[in-house]
Amino acid sequence: LEEPTYWNGASFRFFYSLHSIPCVGFEVAFNGKSLVYSADTFYEPKGLQAMHEQGVLSKERLDALMNFPWHADVVLHEMGVPPIHTPIEALEALPEKTREHIYLIHIGAKTARDAKKRGFNIATPGVQHTLTLVQNEQEESGRLLRFMQLISSMDLFRGFQVSQALELLFMAKEAKYPVGSEIVRQGTPGDKFMIVVKGSASVTFGGAKKIFRSGDYLGEISVITGAVRTATVVAESEVLAMEVDKYA
């Protein structure tokens, strides 16, 4: 649980939800797309914080529940009866862009009608209502070619066989960073190894400034040793990076 498992190019992560009986949700990612299933759960920040203050939830458990993966392309969220399930008001408080990806399940007809009026999607049973997450094949082929060309030029991966390079590609996730944003922050956990695909980033350490460009990589020391980041890396231009987490 909690740590991702990789299979056939996809990553799976299972996690405990919060319910009156033990329940497990999951997150799956493949080819740059992701889906998360909440399981029966309760999500309401003030309520979770109150349970932490009462000693019901540890700080680690609170953080895990608060950091639900709302970023997924599709969020299948259980909507049973409160207070042991998430109240609709808690979902309404999420950003509009986040709500667009939420599909409510395990929901009564009356509640579903009300949720629709509030702008929520209702997951409807039936093959005809299948949600398909696919990338354009031409775009995916281009992404594959760019990645293979990139790592073949890097000393770190020059000895990789094609099968190993493909495995690395399947485990990696694309991430974009706008100009001036922090790619890595000093003092944070070293949980990702990153390869710069496009753009440039900089780090200042000991009075010296280093520039990372396409083909450069960072974060490998923290991932290997488990130490926190020793410096902050900032995007000098818009950066496209491939990120591989420490469990890969």
Side-chain angles (χ1 to χ4, degrees):
L1 285 168
E2 296 300 338
E3 297 182 1
T5 299
Y6 295 92
W7 181 72
N8 238 20
S11 68
F12 296 82
R13 184 179 70 88
F14 297 88
F15 54 85
Y16 282 120
S17 61
L18 181 63
H19 196 55
S20 54
I21 59 175
C23 292
V24 174
F26 68 85
E27 179 181 9
V28 59
F30 180 71
N31 274 5
K33 298 293 184 179
S34 59
L35 177 148
V36 62
Y37 165 64
S38 70
D40 283 297
T41 194
F42 172 77
Y43 174 86
E44 198 281 310
K46 289 184 179 179
L48 293 174
Q49 183 64 41
M51 282 189 273
H52 169 60
E53 294 171 357
Q54 294 163 8
V56 177
L57 298 176
S58 66
K59 181 63 168 60
E60 293 74 17
R61 185 85 167 98
L62 173 66
D63 290 343
L65 292 166
M66 292 287 278
N67 294 324
F68 185 83
W70 299 111
H71 60 268
D73 294 289
V74 171
V75 177
L76 299 176
H77 200 288
E78 293 268 3
M79 285 299 293
V81 180
I84 60 173
H85 291 89
T86 299
I88 191 73
E89 291 76 15
L91 299 183
E92 279 190 302
L94 296 170
E96 183 179 354
K97 284 293 184 183
T98 298
R99 298 198 304 270
E100 291 176 0
H101 302 290
I102 298 175
Y103 290 79
L104 305 181
I105 60 177
H106 188 191
I107 185 170
K110 182 179 179 181
T111 307
R113 287 193 296 271
D114 179 53
K116 278 186 176 181
K117 290 178 182 178
R118 301 185 189 207
F120 286 98
N121 303 304
I122 309 300
T124 307
V127 176
Q128 68 272 29
H129 301 296
T130 298
L131 300 174
T132 305
L133 298 178
V134 291
Q135 287 187 325
N136 180 284
E137 290 186 8
Q138 187 174 358
E139 290 181 1
E140 181 60 18
S141 297
R143 174 176 174 265
L144 172 61
L145 180 60
R146 288 194 303 272
F147 185 79
M148 297 294 279
Q149 289 174 331
L150 180 64
I151 66 170
S152 67
S153 68
M154 298 170 62
D155 291 338
L156 183 64
F157 302 114
R158 193 157 288 164
F160 263 36
Q161 298 177 2
V162 172
S163 60
Q164 293 173 307
L166 286 173
E167 185 176 358
L168 179 65
L169 173 63
F170 287 142
M171 291 187 295
K173 295 180 180 179
E174 284 190 353
K176 294 181 180 180
Y177 296 92
V179 179
S181 62
E182 293 183 348
I183 298 175
V184 164
R185 178 179 295 179
Q186 183 177 11
T188 57
D191 57 354
K192 293 177 183 176
F193 164 73
M194 286 161 277
I195 302 170
V196 178
V197 180
K198 291 181 181 179
S200 62
S202 67
V203 59
T204 302
F205 191 76
K209 185 175 183 179
K210 178 180 178 180
I211 301 295
F212 295 95
R213 295 185 175 86
S214 178
D216 290 332
Y217 55 89
L218 58 143
E220 74 283 1
I221 301 301
S222 293
V223 169
I224 294 171
T225 64
V228 298
R229 306 291 192 189
T230 57
T232 296
V233 179
V234 178
E236 294 278 326
S237 64
E238 185 175 286
V239 171
L240 173 64
M242 299 295 286
E243 300 182 342
V244 182
D245 70 43
K246 65 181 180 180
Y247 302 110

